[in-house]
Amino acid sequence: MLLHDTSLIFGRYVRQTLRSRFQIFFGILMPLLYLLFFGPLLTGLPLGSTGDSWQVLVPGLLLQLGLFGASFAGFSIIIEKSTGVVERMRVTPVSRLALLLGRVLRDALLFMFQAVLLVLAALVMGLRAPLAGVLVGFAFVGLLTVSLASLSYALAMKVRTPQEFGPVINSLTMPAMLLSGLMLPMTLGPTWLDVLSHFTPFRYLVDAVRDAYVGSYATAHMLYGVLVALGFALLAVTVGTRVFRGAGA
């Protein structure tokens, strides 16, 4: 029943997304602008990391796509609460976990599609990376989306208005972006900043994807990245499920 209910919810939100081409393509705009206008500035610079500048920048932009896109996913459920959609779902026998997973899997599919478009654009601009490394990067984007979308929906169930939701997300995503080394490796910064960045889970994901993009898979960065990504996803889905069940959503 869980699979059946999840597929129903997933299908509902996929159909909504397909009717909004603006949503599909606008989400990739910011990473694409970074790729076009920031990427060429790094060409030839010593970035203190293996691989060329594209192999450093593109993994960060992929995870930036998941970070910002999934973190703001909860806005949709705030709208649904105000229009009575959530209230109507509460009286159905659909699994509360399915109500979360259906939404989260739609988000993961959307951002994976956007990640493919971003990598194709990067290939045109000069990115060279092994296919296995690119696929590993997509897997990390999917796990990050599942994690952050689950937490975003959980937070959205707790707040009443977008005015309460937006500032909380901004106050969390901006430090996460700056400390995770999405744009440039944190090893370029002072020691204290590099040490501080290790308390941000996204740092481990960025390092792992950068290793994958240069063909290094059996590394400590990859091990830590996989463990953190899986653990973070499990924790986030657990928290999201408890919130949905507690809210009767």
Side-chain angles (χ1 to χ4, degrees), residues 128-216:
R128 295 297 178 265
L131 177 60
V134 172
L135 295 178
V136 167
F138 292 154
F140 274 99
V141 171
L143 286 172
L144 181 62
T145 300
V146 168
S147 305
L148 294 180
S150 297
L151 295 177
S152 181
Y153 288 128
L155 175 63
M157 292 297 294
K158 293 293 187 179
V159 302
R160 293 170 296 178
T161 65
Q163 289 76 18
E164 296 174 338
F165 180 80
V168 174
I169 296 299
N170 279 324
S171 66
L172 294 174
T173 53
M174 288 306 297
M177 183 190 77
L178 296 174
L179 285 175
S180 61
L182 289 177
M183 297 296 100
L184 294 170
M186 293 304 297
T187 52
L188 294 176
T191 302
W192 67 268
L193 193 59
D194 187 27
V195 171
L196 183 61
S197 72
H198 283 89
F199 292 93
T200 305
F202 310 114
R203 162 72 188 269
Y204 299 95
L205 275 64
V206 173
D207 288 343
V209 179
R210 283 181 175 147
D211 274 8
Y213 265 58
V214 296
S216 300

Side-chain angles (χ1 to χ4, degrees), residues 46-77:
L47 299 179
S49 178
T50 56
D52 60 25
S53 59
W54 296 111
Q55 291 169 318
V56 171
L57 178 63
V58 174
L61 293 181
L62 285 174
L63 295 175
Q64 181 196 61
L65 179 67
L67 172 63
F68 284 95
S71 295
F72 285 94
F75 269 117
S76 63
I77 213 168

